[in-house]
Amino acid sequence: MSASGDRGHDLRGHGHDLHGHAFHEHGRGRGHGGAAGGAGAGQDLGAKAMGALLPLGIGWLLFALAIPMFGLTTGKSIAVLLGITLLLGALSELVTGLASGVSWRPTHAALAVALAAGGIVALVWPSPTLAVVARIAAWSLLALGIHALVSAFSQRQAAHGGTWWAPLTIGAFSVAMAFWAAAHHHPTYSLVVLWVALTALVIGLTKFAATMRSADGEEPRLDTLMHSGFSGRAAAGAARAEQQPHLDPAAPARGGGS
């Protein structure tokens, strides 16, 4: 009778342990499911942002073409137009950051902050002259060009680097326009309006480059610049390293005795 009671107690205790273990496993499963749901929502948001890049690029090109047709003839009106352009550019840069890899999102956010700062300065300047508007446009073009050049170098060193020439061309063009705008101390209305239009054009072209990058393959990581340098030999080595499988140093050499 005592032995039967002990066995019954053990079975009940074992059942309790199984129930508790199953409860914990179910809780962990729900936790993993919640994490997977959050990751899935983030991927859906990134996919939607990626699908919006091409329409954004087209919209920016049309806007850039329309800017010289507005017929603006005062420094304040051109400054307001530049401020609106830069603020809209900051918003579109945040969309580009959502469609980019995790390592690139801080750089897109920093570029968005720089564009927004330039837009706010252009809007709140008391009585902006043409030279002031030209300087703001020049700094904005320089920031856009530097970001595009960094993106080009990182794509050059990745295995999927077929479209690296696109941000390189955009970056070089943007930097050249920035120096052109900064070199004029007494610009005309036509030149300042042209630089504002070129700023909108560069913003639109970067959206096309981001669309080409996402269609070409896996986006390169920002840390490839730090690990492999800028040379072509380093780029080829980085590409080979990404394509080769990682070997376990603890595994025995092939052909060696056990």
Side-chain angles (χ1 to χ4, degrees):
M1 197 58 190
S2 174
S4 300
D6 292 340
R7 283 198 300 271
H9 179 72
D10 292 341
L11 288 175
R12 287 194 300 271
H14 184 63
H16 177 73
D17 292 341
L18 288 177
H19 178 70
H21 181 70
F23 176 78
H24 289 302
E25 289 293 334
H26 180 65
R28 283 199 297 269
R30 286 194 300 179
H32 288 304
Q43 292 176 355
D44 292 340
L45 184 60
K48 292 179 180 179
M50 189 176 298
L53 290 179
L54 184 59
L56 271 177
I58 296 174
W60 275 105
L61 291 187
L62 296 177
F63 180 59
L65 182 61
I67 286 177
M69 303 178 184
F70 292 155
L72 303 178
T73 56
T74 63
K76 185 61 178 179
S77 61
I78 300 175
V80 170
L81 178 61
L82 177 61
I84 294 174
T85 300
L86 294 180
L87 290 178
L88 292 177
L91 290 177
S92 63
E93 199 62 34
L94 293 178
V95 175
T96 309
L98 291 176
S100 303
V102 177
S103 63
W104 281 97
R105 289 178 183 176
T107 65
H108 287 287
L111 180 58
V113 170
L115 294 179
I120 293 173
V121 170
L123 288 175
V124 303
W125 198 279
S127 55
T129 62
L130 293 179
V132 169
V133 179
R135 297 298 182 271
I136 299 174
W139 283 108
S140 303
L141 286 167
L142 182 64
L144 289 165
I146 291 175
H147 189 274
L149 290 176
V150 173
S151 177
F153 282 120
S154 68
Q155 287 181 248
R156 178 69 177 86
Q157 296 164 11
H160 304 276
T163 61
W164 66 275
W165 54 268
L168 179 66
T169 305
I170 296 169
F173 173 76
S174 183
V175 171
M177 294 301 101
F179 278 92
W180 181 34
H184 283 72
H185 299 285
H186 302 286
T188 62
Y189 285 102
S190 299
L191 275 180
V192 176
V193 171
L194 176 61
W195 292 327
V196 176
L198 289 177
T199 303
L201 176 64
V202 170
I203 294 174
L205 291 177
T206 57
K207 303 302 171 283
F208 282 109
T211 304
M212 294 171 60
R213 179 183 61 198
S214 61
D216 182 64
E218 183 181 357
E219 185 178 14
R221 291 179 57 85
L222 181 61
D223 54 7
T224 56
L225 289 174
M226 292 70 173
H227 291 303
S228 56
F230 291 90
S231 65
R233 183 177 300 177
R240 286 195 300 269
E242 290 184 5
Q243 293 175 349
Q244 291 178 354
H246 296 285
L247 299 178
D248 187 2
R254 183 176 297 178
S258 56

Tab-separated table of all heavy atoms in Angstrom, residues 148-149 152 164-175:
chain	number	residue	atom	x	y	z
A	148	ALA	N	26.234	59.987	-51.293
A	148	ALA	CA	26.195	59.155	-52.491
A	148	ALA	C	27.551	58.524	-52.784
A	148	ALA	O	27.636	57.352	-53.185
A	148	ALA	CB	25.726	59.984	-53.688
A	149	LEU	N	28.635	59.261	-52.563
A	149	LEU	CA	29.967	58.715	-52.804
A	149	LEU	C	30.293	57.587	-51.829
A	149	LEU	O	30.878	56.563	-52.216
A	149	LEU	CB	31.010	59.825	-52.696
A	149	LEU	CG	31.000	60.867	-53.816
A	149	LEU	CD1	32.021	61.965	-53.535
A	149	LEU	CD2	31.283	60.217	-55.167
A	152	ALA	N	28.550	54.583	-52.983
A	152	ALA	CA	29.188	54.002	-54.167
A	152	ALA	C	30.392	53.157	-53.788
A	152	ALA	O	30.585	52.049	-54.306
A	152	ALA	CB	29.603	55.119	-55.128
A	164	TRP	N	27.299	50.195	-58.719
A	164	TRP	CA	28.039	51.146	-57.891
A	164	TRP	C	28.330	52.448	-58.642
A	164	TRP	O	28.539	53.492	-58.038
A	164	TRP	CB	29.350	50.519	-57.419
A	164	TRP	CG	30.312	50.246	-58.532
A	164	TRP	CD1	30.367	49.154	-59.331
A	164	TRP	CD2	31.360	51.116	-58.983
A	164	TRP	NE1	31.372	49.265	-60.250
A	164	TRP	CE2	32.000	50.457	-60.056
A	164	TRP	CE3	31.811	52.367	-58.583
A	164	TRP	CZ2	33.076	51.020	-60.732
A	164	TRP	CZ3	32.878	52.936	-59.253
A	164	TRP	CH2	33.503	52.254	-60.313
A	165	TRP	N	28.337	52.367	-59.981
A	165	TRP	CA	28.634	53.556	-60.783
A	165	TRP	C	27.528	54.609	-60.667
A	165	TRP	O	27.796	55.805	-60.867
A	165	TRP	CB	28.804	53.161	-62.249
A	165	TRP	CG	27.632	52.392	-62.784
A	165	TRP	CD1	27.473	51.035	-62.801
A	165	TRP	CD2	26.440	52.943	-63.336
A	165	TRP	NE1	26.261	50.696	-63.339
A	165	TRP	CE2	25.597	51.852	-63.676
A	165	TRP	CE3	25.987	54.238	-63.579
A	165	TRP	CZ2	24.346	52.015	-64.242
A	165	TRP	CZ3	24.734	54.416	-64.146
A	165	TRP	CH2	23.935	53.305	-64.489
A	166	ALA	N	26.293	54.191	-60.366
A	166	ALA	CA	25.181	55.151	-60.304
A	166	ALA	C	25.359	56.150	-59.157
A	166	ALA	O	25.347	57.365	-59.388
A	166	ALA	CB	23.855	54.412	-60.199
A	167	PRO	N	25.535	55.689	-57.894
A	167	PRO	CA	25.770	56.685	-56.835
A	167	PRO	C	27.092	57.415	-56.992
A	167	PRO	O	27.213	58.567	-56.550
A	167	PRO	CB	25.731	55.853	-55.546
A	167	PRO	CG	26.023	54.463	-55.972
A	167	PRO	CD	25.439	54.319	-57.346
A	168	LEU	N	28.093	56.789	-57.634
A	168	LEU	CA	29.358	57.484	-57.866
A	168	LEU	C	29.154	58.675	-58.799
A	168	LEU	O	29.643	59.786	-58.538
A	168	LEU	CB	30.384	56.512	-58.459
A	168	LEU	CG	31.752	57.120	-58.776
A	168	LEU	CD1	32.461	57.542	-57.492
A	168	LEU	CD2	32.611	56.127	-59.561
A	169	THR	N	28.402	58.466	-59.875
A	169	THR	CA	28.130	59.556	-60.817
A	169	THR	C	27.300	60.655	-60.164
A	169	THR	O	27.582	61.853	-60.322
A	169	THR	CB	27.401	59.006	-62.048
A	169	THR	OG1	28.167	57.938	-62.628
A	169	THR	CG2	27.189	60.097	-63.083
A	170	ILE	N	26.275	60.243	-59.406
A	170	ILE	CA	25.422	61.226	-58.733
A	170	ILE	C	26.213	62.014	-57.706
A	170	ILE	O	26.082	63.242	-57.589
A	170	ILE	CB	24.224	60.521	-58.083
A	170	ILE	CG1	23.345	59.868	-59.152
A	170	ILE	CG2	23.408	61.493	-57.240
A	170	ILE	CD1	22.286	58.944	-58.582
A	171	GLY	N	27.060	61.320	-56.936
A	171	GLY	CA	27.859	62.004	-55.923
A	171	GLY	C	28.843	62.991	-56.518
A	171	GLY	O	28.988	64.117	-56.024
A	172	ALA	N	29.533	62.577	-57.589
A	172	ALA	CA	30.483	63.492	-58.238
A	172	ALA	C	29.760	64.703	-58.817
A	172	ALA	O	30.240	65.850	-58.703
A	172	ALA	CB	31.242	62.741	-59.333
A	173	PHE	N	28.618	64.483	-59.436
A	173	PHE	CA	27.843	65.593	-59.995
A	173	PHE	C	27.376	66.540	-58.889
A	173	PHE	O	27.467	67.771	-59.031
A	173	PHE	CB	26.642	65.029	-60.761
A	173	PHE	CG	25.677	66.077	-61.250
A	173	PHE	CD1	25.977	66.859	-62.354
A	173	PHE	CD2	24.464	66.282	-60.597
A	173	PHE	CE1	25.087	67.824	-62.802
A	173	PHE	CE2	23.569	67.240	-61.045
A	173	PHE	CZ	23.886	68.020	-62.148
A	174	SER	N	26.903	65.988	-57.780
A	174	SER	CA	26.395	66.819	-56.690
A	174	SER	C	27.507	67.653	-56.057
A	174	SER	O	27.323	68.846	-55.771
A	174	SER	CB	25.718	65.937	-55.638
A	174	SER	OG	25.162	66.711	-54.603
A	175	VAL	N	28.673	67.045	-55.845
A	175	VAL	CA	29.795	67.786	-55.262
A	175	VAL	C	30.253	68.892	-56.212
A	175	VAL	O	30.572	70.014	-55.787
A	175	VAL	CB	30.939	66.814	-54.924
A	175	VAL	CG1	32.200	67.585	-54.524
A	175	VAL	CG2	30.527	65.873	-53.792
